[in-house]
Amino acid sequence: MKGDLFSSQHMVRPATASGMTIENAKCIRYTVDGEMHARQGAMVAYRGNLQFERRGQGVGGMLKRAVTGEGLPLMAVRGRGEAWFAHEAQNCFVVDVDPGDEFTVNGRNVLCFDSSLSYRIATVKGAGITGGGLFNSVFTGHGRLGLVCEGNPLVIPVSPQYPVFVDTDAIVGWTAGLDTSLHRSQSLGSMLRGGSGEAVQLKFQGEGHVVVRPSEATPHKAQQH
């Protein structure tokens, strides 16, 4: 079949470097030369000599299974080749984590990341169970983190003078240096829910950035309603 049957905008071009790149708005390509990590089930295609391995929580160099509020399991991808990752046609974006940085992200938004990044599972300080999921993943080190969300993400600066309030279902992640707490708005809750309860948001204070998705309901919640 001739390649000119397809629009050039959909054709995969040769990789120019190893690592993570945005293939299109809905997909990330990772050129593997060694090892990387990804969400289980997120691989949509690959070529080359690659091995995919589900790993449980272990010791030493074994990949930990990150159980977040969304129950996210991870896998290791090893070898040399190319793999494409996507999740439910959600939009993809990349966060660059530098040494000394720390980025907290909701597990449901993690797609793939460099093996040079370390992560730990942490609760949302001051937010309790309602803080966008009890557990979140905190990434440190030096590398790239591929994320997904419904629609294009909003990156909102936070300053000491201007705290930011985010719907608990819309939060994607935030940078280090921000304090979190639970904020209840009785008047807003009454307005949005006909007086049947309080609206609850995460309040961010300090100096940094918050990443928000332009949707306050997860897909399964939307189907239920």
Side-chain angles (χ1 to χ4, degrees):
M1 183 176 290
K2 295 182 179 180
D4 56 10
L5 291 177
F6 302 98
S7 171
S8 61
Q9 67 176 322
H10 301 305
M11 293 293 292
V12 171
R13 293 171 175 78
T16 58
S18 61
M20 186 185 307
T21 56
I22 297 289
E23 185 67 45
N24 59 45
K26 308 292 184 180
C27 188
I28 285 179
R29 170 164 64 175
Y30 201 108
T31 303
V32 186
D33 185 10
E35 180 177 338
M36 57 84 63
H37 301 151
R39 180 193 197 111
Q40 281 186 23
M43 187 276 294
V44 296
Y46 80 95
R47 60 186 178 189
N49 184 20
L50 294 178
Q51 295 181 330
F52 300 82
E53 183 177 356
R54 296 184 180 186
R55 304 301 291 267
Q57 184 171 350
V59 295
M62 294 181 66
L63 178 64
K64 294 178 294 183
R65 181 178 184 270
V67 182
T68 69
E70 298 296 317
L72 174 70
L74 299 174
M75 64 182 176
V77 183
R78 298 188 179 93
R80 298 189 66 181
E82 295 173 296
W84 287 265
F85 299 96
H87 181 65
E88 297 180 348
Q90 295 182 20
N91 284 20
C92 299
F93 63 105
V94 174
V95 173
D96 290 296
V97 181
D98 294 323
D101 285 348
E102 185 176 274
F103 187 74
T104 301
V105 62
N106 194 307
R108 68 189 173 202
N109 300 104
V110 175
L111 184 65
C112 57
F113 56 93
D114 292 341
S115 60
S116 58
L117 290 177
S118 299
Y119 69 89
R120 68 182 188 274
I121 309 304
T123 58
V124 180
K125 184 179 179 181
I129 295 177
T130 61
L134 177 59
F135 298 102
N136 283 269
S137 298
V138 182
F139 285 86
T140 56
H142 180 59
R144 309 197 85 193
L145 172 62
L147 303 176
V148 292
C149 76
E150 297 83 10
N152 290 320
L154 306 173
V155 181
I156 305 174
V158 183
S159 67
Q161 297 81 13
Y162 296 101
V164 173
F165 302 85
V166 182
D167 186 293
T168 57
D169 286 328
I171 186 66
V172 173
W174 60 92
T175 57
L178 294 178
D179 293 323
T180 58
S181 60
L182 204 60
H183 178 76
R184 300 181 183 275
S185 300
Q186 178 64 53
S187 59
L188 183 59
S190 298
M191 181 172 61
L192 297 179
R193 305 177 184 179
S196 60
E198 297 172 316
V200 179
Q201 304 93 37
L202 273 178
K203 179 180 180 180
F204 293 90
Q205 292 179 290
E207 193 83 36
H209 293 82
V210 174
V211 182
V212 180
R213 61 182 179 146
S215 172
E216 77 287 351
T218 58
H220 70 272
K221 286 183 180 179
Q223 293 171 3
Q224 292 173 353
H225 291 81

